[in-house]
Amino acid sequence: MHAFQRFQQQFTTYLERHPFAGQPPALYEPVNYILSLGGKRLRPAVVLMACHLFHEEEEAALPAALAVEVFHNFTLVHDDIMDEAPLRRGQATVHQRYGLNAGILSGDVMLILAYEGLLQAYEAGQAADLLRVFNRVAREVCEGQQYDMSFESREDVSIPEYLRMIELKTAVLFGGALEMGAIVGRGGAENARQLYEFGRNAGIAFQLQDDILDTFGDPEKFGKKVGGDIVQNKKTYLVLKALEDGSDLQRDRLRHLLSIQPSDERAKVEEVRALFETLHIREKAEQVKADFRQKAHRHLEAVKAPSARKAVLQELADYLLGREE
Amino acid sequence: MHAFQRFQQQFTTYLERHPFAGQPPALYEPVNYILSLGGKRLRPAVVLMACHLFHEEEEAALPAALAVEVFHNFTLVHDDIMDEAPLRRGQATVHQRYGLNAGILSGDVMLILAYEGLLQAYEAGQAADLLRVFNRVAREVCEGQQYDMSFESREDVSIPEYLRMIELKTAVLFGGALEMGAIVGRGGAENARQLYEFGRNAGIAFQLQDDILDTFGDPEKFGKKVGGDIVQNKKTYLVLKALEDGSDLQRDRLRHLLSIQPSDERAKVEEVRALFETLHIREKAEQVKADFRQKAHRHLEAVKAPSARKAVLQELADYLLGREE
């Protein structure tokens, strides 16, 4: 068992003991449903781990961890509506199961419940510090989602724009989760800042890896269908880099392939993948991922906390991003 | 000019000077759009008025007033999606103009912006007090919306359930707005509580009046089409009271009328209205409204603040609820 799994387990137990309740039950049932679908609980686990760097009893961070997980699940509920996704973690999405209106409204109340958890568990000064981080991150996640949606209809998305989008949509929440853990652990402003940067950079690396694995991953290990991004014509880092580095002919061909929805998906996936290989896109993406990973590592090094405790966070990063070669 | 109009004007000026901005603009444009559609700005005005009871300079309450108005408009954006409403204040609703996804996402960011405004404008202790009220009210408004939606498909809604629904969906936000104004004005916990109760009871009376005017109002004065609730088969107080007081025959007829959508709406509206008149439903609704209004009045009386300043709030209540006979 990895050392970080203790924190995941600790959170899962807490979550199971704290279902949301209230009247009318129809409002809260979808909230408990989406939270029960599982997932790796990475974001709440890093809240606890960041707190533990500075504080023997990381239990104090459990309400903050719950707020982060509830917020994350709120974004899943509303994003699934926007993406018209029928499935989430192999089960029906909230709007699929309970209807569009319940999806919107239970998502709304989850956002409110996340704030409520922070307000109720911490004294005013600490709550204000936590809420400032939480609020900034929440706003940025919405901005990231808006960029993501508008990129679908844009043909001129640049790589810096893409990196900014995944930073906002995915990475800042990891950064914010670590920062909040540091605040609960009273680790001080500079350590909180370094942890935020660790999470933000690791989060970008994590999303880049997701892009890579979606196209080049081992079907046995990768949870989702390999090639799904290509089938869905997503503008991933791989696509944008190929458009940047390819010849006019290759660019035109790639643009064409990513505009069609043929019945034979496999032929399309294979051709796009072959084009990526010709242009060494995988290696280039791995290099950018490694750069962000390296940055993340340096920020964790700069955190003033016992090395043994920091090692647990490093171990999680290595586990998520693959062992360094 | 009424004395309370100064507060409405003061807020409108502030709102116009504080448009929301950020990247990408597509996220914030619907926010400024819905806020620009006008409305009476009652909720933000009462925040200022409540602050002014205890504090010479009510400007301190402007950010709280803005948070309340942004929250109220967030609920309009998401409710309009749930109601599939094409128009709001005579203009296209957000989802109609910008699409479903923009409606969901810009609503989400409005909720976040409301919290942000409170966090940024007030010191930690006061912010925590304001956020606790705001958060409780926000959650209750969601609960009210869920009740309202589930009542559509229920045939056994009781009058107490209906009153609880309008309390949650409409009245607690008026109460919370007043309570927040009192907090900014440092009027003390007991005054804040009395003002909350004033707003909550007046809010219920206000919604009952809306039910009455929708069916019995003067078409020239009432903003919306008279009889709209009957056409839409809404379970208003009038309907529920008629179902309670009517004979089996009258009940069956009313249930039938409120299950059909005939091409001749006028005949249906006239028949339902005639049934209400036979059962003296208008008078009974007016009586319940008067009871809540009376309760509201007593709570305002109990507030320890200069009578001249309280008179402005009483004047607004009288204006909104009709002069006492």
Side-chain angles (χ1 to χ4, degrees):
Chain A
M1 182 169 139
H2 296 283
F4 59 78
Q5 286 176 303
R6 170 169 85 76
F7 296 94
Q8 289 171 303
Q9 187 52 53
Q10 186 180 13
F11 175 75
T12 304
T13 304
Y14 181 78
L15 178 68
E16 285 164 0
R17 286 187 190 154
H18 291 80
F20 289 97
Q23 291 298 327
L27 180 62
Y28 295 97
E29 191 188 324
V31 178
N32 292 316
Y33 170 74
I34 182 77
L35 284 167
S36 75
L37 292 186
K40 294 187 287 291
R41 314 296 186 192
L42 293 176
R43 294 159 192 80
V46 301
V47 175
L48 301 179
M49 291 159 76
C51 179
H52 184 67
L53 292 178
F54 313 106
H55 201 288
E56 202 57 53
E57 280 130 32
E58 71 278 357
E59 287 80 4
L62 280 165
L66 183 57
V68 166
E69 184 68 359
V70 170
F71 173 79
H72 173 58
N73 279 268
F74 142 73
T75 67
L76 298 181
V77 172
H78 279 192
D79 286 7
D80 283 343
I81 297 173
M82 297 185 229
D83 298 341
E84 298 178 38
L87 293 176
R88 165 68 59 187
R89 294 175 183 137
Q91 306 282 324
T93 47
V94 167
H95 69 278
Q96 186 77 13
R97 186 177 167 121
Y98 299 98
L100 170 67
N101 290 358
I104 294 173
L105 193 59
S106 59
D108 291 345
V109 87
M110 289 175 84
L111 181 51
I112 293 164
L113 290 169
Y115 282 98
E116 185 174 295
L118 295 174
L119 270 166
Q120 290 188 343
Y122 303 99
E123 50 82 16
Q126 200 167 46
D129 289 344
L130 290 167
L131 285 164
R132 259 186 287 273
V133 174
F134 180 79
N135 212 91
R136 185 191 72 219
V137 166
R139 183 169 170 173
E140 288 177 342
V141 170
C142 289
E143 292 171 349
Q145 173 67 2
Q146 179 65 48
Y147 276 119
D148 197 15
M149 289 198 303
S150 55
F151 286 0
E152 281 175 30
S153 56
R154 273 182 53 191
E155 288 306 319
D156 60 345
V157 179
S158 70
I159 287 178
E161 282 181 312
Y162 178 77
L163 292 174
R164 177 69 177 150
M165 184 276 283
I166 62 175
E167 176 185 356
L168 291 169
K169 185 168 170 169
T170 303
V172 296
L173 184 55
F174 279 102
L178 287 150
E179 192 176 353
M180 288 168 69
I183 289 170
V184 176
R186 302 198 186 272
E190 177 56 17
N191 282 330
R193 193 185 70 79
Q194 296 287 0
L195 280 164
Y196 172 78
E197 289 297 331
F198 164 68
R200 186 176 70 83
N201 283 285
I204 297 171
F206 185 61
Q207 187 57 48
L208 286 169
Q209 174 176 263
D210 204 59
D211 284 5
I212 296 166
L213 290 180
D214 193 278
T215 296
F216 294 106
D218 179 342
E220 305 245 321
K221 288 186 198 160
F222 191 60
K224 294 171 268 187
K225 187 177 71 171
V226 171
D229 284 350
I230 296 173
V231 170
Q232 290 172 58
N233 299 328
K234 274 203 192 174
K235 294 187 186 82
T236 63
Y237 182 85
L238 308 178
V239 169
L240 298 174
K241 189 67 184 159
L243 288 173
E244 189 175 274
D245 292 2
S247 65
D248 285 356
L249 216 66
Q250 288 167 322
R251 219 191 317 261
D252 286 351
R253 183 69 190 157
L254 183 57
R255 284 224 172 91
H256 168 71
L257 286 166
L258 295 180
S259 70
I260 59 173
Q261 295 188 305
S263 54
D264 184 4
E265 292 176 346
R266 270 182 59 183
K268 170 175 155 177
V269 171
E270 283 313 314
E271 188 179 346
V272 172
R273 190 154 33 197
L275 183 63
F276 287 163
E277 277 167 12
T278 309
L279 293 167
H280 306 285
I281 299 300
R282 180 181 185 165
E283 293 76 8
K284 290 168 185 170
E286 292 281 7
Q287 186 54 54
V288 179
K289 173 192 150 191
D291 291 346
F292 279 105
R293 183 181 185 159
Q294 186 57 35
K295 275 188 220 167
H297 181 70
R298 281 202 298 267
H299 285 291
L300 185 60
E301 294 249 291
V303 173
K304 291 185 178 55
S307 301
R309 296 192 183 182
K310 290 204 290 184
V312 186
L313 268 172
Q314 187 61 53
E315 190 187 351
L316 175 60
D318 289 342
Y319 175 80
L320 292 173
L321 298 173
R323 291 264 160 215
E324 299 273 23
E325 269 102 88
Chain B
M1 185 169 134
H2 295 284
F4 58 78
Q5 287 177 302
R6 171 170 83 78
F7 296 95
Q8 289 171 303
Q9 187 52 53
Q10 185 181 15
F11 175 74
T12 305
T13 304
Y14 181 78
L15 178 68
E16 284 165 1
R17 286 188 190 151
H18 291 79
F20 288 99
Q23 292 296 326
L27 180 62
Y28 295 97
E29 192 188 324
V31 177
N32 293 316
Y33 170 73
I34 183 77
L35 285 167
S36 75
L37 292 186
K40 293 189 285 292
R41 314 297 187 193
L42 293 176
R43 295 159 191 81
V46 300
V47 175
L48 301 180
M49 290 158 76
C51 179
H52 184 67
L53 292 177
F54 313 106
H55 201 288
E56 202 57 55
E57 280 130 31
E58 72 278 357
E59 287 79 4
L62 281 165
L66 183 58
V68 166
E69 183 69 359
V70 169
F71 172 79
H72 172 59
N73 279 268
F74 142 74
T75 67
L76 299 182
V77 171
H78 279 191
D79 286 6
D80 283 343
I81 296 173
M82 297 184 229
D83 297 340
E84 300 179 38
L87 293 177
R88 166 67 58 187
R89 295 174 181 137
Q91 306 280 324
T93 48
V94 167
H95 68 279
Q96 186 77 13
R97 185 178 168 122
Y98 298 98
L100 171 67
N101 290 358
I104 294 173
L105 192 59
S106 59
D108 292 345
V109 87
M110 287 175 84
L111 181 51
I112 293 164
L113 290 169
Y115 282 98
E116 185 174 294
L118 294 174
L119 271 166
Q120 290 189 344
Y122 303 99
E123 51 82 16
Q126 200 167 46
D129 289 344
L130 289 167
L131 285 164
R132 259 186 287 272
V133 174
F134 180 79
N135 211 92
R136 185 191 74 220
V137 165
R139 183 169 170 175
E140 288 177 342
V141 170
C142 289
E143 292 171 351
Q145 171 68 3
Q146 179 65 48
Y147 277 118
D148 196 16
M149 290 198 303
S150 56
F151 286 0
E152 282 175 31
S153 56
R154 274 182 53 192
E155 288 306 320
D156 59 346
V157 179
S158 71
I159 287 177
E161 283 181 312
Y162 179 76
L163 292 175
R164 176 71 177 148
M165 183 276 284
I166 61 174
E167 176 185 357
L168 291 168
K169 186 169 169 168
T170 303
V172 296
L173 183 55
F174 280 103
L178 286 151
E179 192 176 353
M180 288 168 70
I183 289 170
V184 176
R186 302 198 186 275
E190 178 55 17
N191 283 329
R193 193 185 71 78
Q194 297 288 0
L195 279 165
Y196 171 78
E197 289 297 332
F198 164 68
R200 187 176 70 82
N201 284 286
I204 297 171
F206 185 61
Q207 186 58 49
L208 287 169
Q209 172 175 265
D210 204 59
D211 285 5
I212 297 167
L213 290 181
D214 194 280
T215 296
F216 294 106
D218 178 345
E220 304 246 319
K221 288 187 197 159
F222 191 60
K224 294 172 265 185
K225 187 177 68 170
V226 171
D229 285 350
I230 296 173
V231 171
Q232 290 172 57
N233 299 328
K234 273 203 190 172
K235 295 188 185 80
T236 62
Y237 181 86
L238 309 178
V239 169
L240 298 174
K241 189 67 184 157
L243 289 172
E244 191 175 274
D245 291 1
S247 66
D248 286 357
L249 216 66
Q250 288 167 323
R251 221 192 315 263
D252 287 351
R253 183 67 190 158
L254 184 57
R255 284 224 172 91
H256 168 71
L257 285 168
L258 295 180
S259 70
I260 57 173
Q261 295 187 305
S263 54
D264 184 5
E265 293 175 346
R266 271 182 59 183
K268 169 174 156 177
V269 171
E270 283 313 314
E271 188 179 346
V272 172
R273 190 154 32 194
L275 183 63
F276 287 164
E277 276 168 12
T278 308
L279 293 166
H280 305 287
I281 299 300
R282 181 179 185 167
E283 294 74 9
K284 291 167 184 172
E286 293 281 5
Q287 186 54 55
V288 180
K289 174 192 148 191
D291 291 346
F292 281 105
R293 184 181 185 160
Q294 186 57 35
K295 276 189 218 165
H297 181 70
R298 281 201 297 268
H299 286 292
L300 185 59
E301 294 249 290
V303 173
K304 291 184 178 55
S307 301
R309 295 191 184 183
K310 290 204 288 184
V312 186
L313 269 170
Q314 189 60 53
E315 189 187 351
L316 175 61
D318 289 342
Y319 175 80
L320 292 172
L321 298 173
R323 291 264 158 214
E324 298 273 24
E325 270 102 89

